[in-house]
């Protein structure tokens, strides 16, 4: 597949409070960051696949699995308060200073072992066909959010009590970010400085392809789900 100067950026900071060494912890036999690197390279979409890190060990593992680490992250984007958008902006500006300009950027999370090359391609093609400034995968909430409950000092109440008696099939489906990757046109991103552009699209993933990984329990659930997919 021909490329249009696309860059894949995988942010992978060294510090991780809840899961130590989270970005390079072994997941089903290999460092979890390897899945994002391999999905990007196997998609055939990118002229550059890079990992943005502040950590030597992460950099060496990233290069072992085929990513580039042409420079390290600055202290400003390596602290606990920097967001991913700032990391992506810093990377693009560093490449720009080297005379390398990209048309599109895809930010892949380092702890997303369910990313598939086919999904990257599907989202990219839809972004090009529909003219979106950004596109990312989403997943449907398994339970109607219109029936969400509030807990206040042990007392339970509904956020929207008017939906108590409504049938589930009569409530509008709601979705959330799958936390895997974000495609963006570089020009639009540099103007808006955010992934959720004014003109954004989405592809829908099944729950079997999505698992947020923030705790050790999340990690175990992800491994069970991954094992189920690959048996």
């Amino acid at each position: 597949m021909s490329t249009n100067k696309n860059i894949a950026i995988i942010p992978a900071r060294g510090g991780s409070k809840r899961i130590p060494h989270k970005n390079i912890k072994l997941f089903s036999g290999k460092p979890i960051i390897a899945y994002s690197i391999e999905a990007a390279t196997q998609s055939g979409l990118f002229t550059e696949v890079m990992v943005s890190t502040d950590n030597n060990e992460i950099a060496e593992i990233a290069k072992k699995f085929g990513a580039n680490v042409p420079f390290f992250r600055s202290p400003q984007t390596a602290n606990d308060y920097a967001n991913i958008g700032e990391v992506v902006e810093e990377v693009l500006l560093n490449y720009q200073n080297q005379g390398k300009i990209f048309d599109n950027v895809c930010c892949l999370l380092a702890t997303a072992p369910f990313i598939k090359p086919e999904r990257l391609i599907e989202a990219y093609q839809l972004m090009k066909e529909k003219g979106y400034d950004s596109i990312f995968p989403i997943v449907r909430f398994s339970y109607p959010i219109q029936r969400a409950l509030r807990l206040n000092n042990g007392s339970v109440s509904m956020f929207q009590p008017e939906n108590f008696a409504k049938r589930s099939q009569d409530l509008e489906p709601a979705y959330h970010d799958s936390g895997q990757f974000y495609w963006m046109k570089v020009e639009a991103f540099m103007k808006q400085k955010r992934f959720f552009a004014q003109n954004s699209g989405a592809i829908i993933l099944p729950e079997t392809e999505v698992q947020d990984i923030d705790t050790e329990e999340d990690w175990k659930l992800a491994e069970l789900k991954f094992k189920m997919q690959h048996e």
Side-chain angles (χ1 to χ4, degrees):
M1 181 176 294
S2 63
T3 59
N4 192 31
K5 286 194 175 180
N6 300 330
I7 180 172
I9 299 174
I10 304 170
R13 192 166 63 94
S16 179
K17 302 294 190 297
R18 287 173 290 190
I19 303 177
H21 309 293
K22 177 181 177 180
N23 291 320
I24 53 174
K25 182 178 177 179
L26 291 183
F27 182 97
S28 193
K30 60 185 174 184
I32 194 167
I33 193 174
Y35 295 95
S36 297
I37 296 171
E38 290 173 347
T41 55
Q42 290 170 12
S43 74
L45 292 171
F46 302 102
T47 53
E48 181 83 352
V49 176
M50 72 87 66
V51 168
S52 171
T53 187
D54 59 335
N55 182 276
N56 283 311
E57 186 178 8
I58 292 176
E60 289 306 310
I61 290 174
K63 288 186 282 188
K64 177 183 176 182
F65 283 92
N68 294 324
V69 186
F71 43 78
F72 277 76
R73 194 182 297 192
S74 70
Q76 291 75 24
T77 58
N79 61 50
D80 291 335
Y81 304 102
N83 61 52
I84 299 179
E86 292 171 329
V87 175
V88 170
E89 181 183 15
E90 178 182 70
V91 169
L92 292 173
L93 289 175
N94 277 334
Y95 274 105
Q96 184 176 310
N97 290 336
Q98 297 176 8
K100 298 178 181 179
I101 307 297
F102 297 94
D103 298 318
N104 304 294
V105 55
C106 186
C107 177
L108 294 81
L109 300 193
T111 54
F114 296 98
I115 291 180
K116 297 180 179 180
E118 311 90 80
R119 295 301 191 186
L120 292 170
I121 295 169
E122 178 186 355
Y124 177 69
Q125 291 177 337
L126 188 60
M127 183 178 75
K128 301 293 286 183
E129 290 170 6
K130 300 295 184 181
Y132 292 127
D133 289 331
S134 71
I135 191 167
F136 52 95
I138 60 175
V139 61
R140 181 173 175 171
F141 279 99
S142 59
Y143 188 84
I145 63 170
Q146 296 88 341
R147 288 191 180 144
L149 301 175
R150 176 186 288 114
L151 186 62
N152 185 15
N153 294 323
S155 178
V156 177
S157 61
M158 291 189 68
F159 279 93
Q160 300 176 9
E162 66 274 15
N163 292 314
F164 176 76
K166 291 183 179 179
R167 301 184 307 166
S168 297
Q169 58 265 43
D170 294 331
L171 297 171
E172 181 183 357
Y175 302 83
H176 62 88
D177 180 5
S178 72
Q180 291 190 354
F181 64 85
Y182 309 90
W183 271 107
M184 297 158 284
K185 293 179 180 176
V186 170
E187 184 178 2
F189 172 76
M190 296 302 284
K191 287 179 180 178
Q192 300 179 38
K193 303 296 174 65
R194 56 195 179 100
F195 297 161
F196 299 92
Q198 295 176 351
N199 178 32
S200 291
I203 62 170
I204 301 173
L205 301 184
E207 283 192 82
T208 52
E209 291 185 27
V210 178
Q211 177 62 51
D212 195 27
I213 304 178
D214 284 324
T215 66
E216 292 287 355
E217 183 180 35
D218 292 337
W219 191 282
K220 292 175 183 177
L221 286 171
E223 287 189 314
L224 286 172
K225 193 177 288 187
F226 189 88
K227 182 179 179 180
M228 179 187 72
Q229 280 192 17
H230 292 82
E231 282 183 341

